[in-house]
Amino acid sequence: GGLGPGLAMSRGLGDTLGKGCGLLAEATTREMPLGPDDKVFVVASDGIFDVLSDAEVLHCCRYFWEVRGAPQAAAAVLAAAARGWENRGLAYRDDCTCAVLFL
């Protein structure tokens, strides 16, 4: 029952052999139409959204929108999530993955 090593669930995507262990090979997705007011598209793991709200993720990205600095925006999201995990005061941090695309 310790905190160390665990199973990185995001690595189970596409792993049909892991089904016998309870892994889902398909991600949960939601399709939404993009509108003219949409400025950024963010794909991130639960390690991000467990500690950051949608608004906090967008706040991290907004500073990089004008220069289309997607790598910098993703790095800002990852840094904010790392702080969020640290603020929980645990010796645990979930895997954090983030990709940003400015529209």
Side-chain angles (χ1 to χ4, degrees), residues 47 50-52 78-89 92-93:
D50 282 348
V51 293
L52 298 178
L78 291 170
R83 286 189 302 275
W85 281 103
E86 288 171 11
N87 290 340
R88 287 188 169 193
Y92 172 78
R93 175 179 153 182

Side-chain angles (χ1 to χ4, degrees), residues 15-75:
D15 183 0
T16 56
L17 295 176
K19 186 176 181 180
C21 299
L23 294 178
L24 299 176
E26 294 184 29
T28 301
T29 61
R30 185 169 83 180
E31 194 171 317
M32 298 175 61
L34 295 176
D37 294 331
D38 293 321
K39 305 290 185 215
V40 62
F41 182 79
V42 178
V43 177
S45 66
D46 65 332
I48 300 290
F49 290 111
D50 282 348
V51 293
L52 298 178
S53 67
D54 292 353
E56 290 170 315
V57 170
L58 291 175
H59 181 77
C60 292
C61 294
R62 73 182 185 134
Y63 295 105
F64 303 99
W65 181 77
E66 285 193 29
V67 296
R68 300 295 196 264
Q72 295 88 346

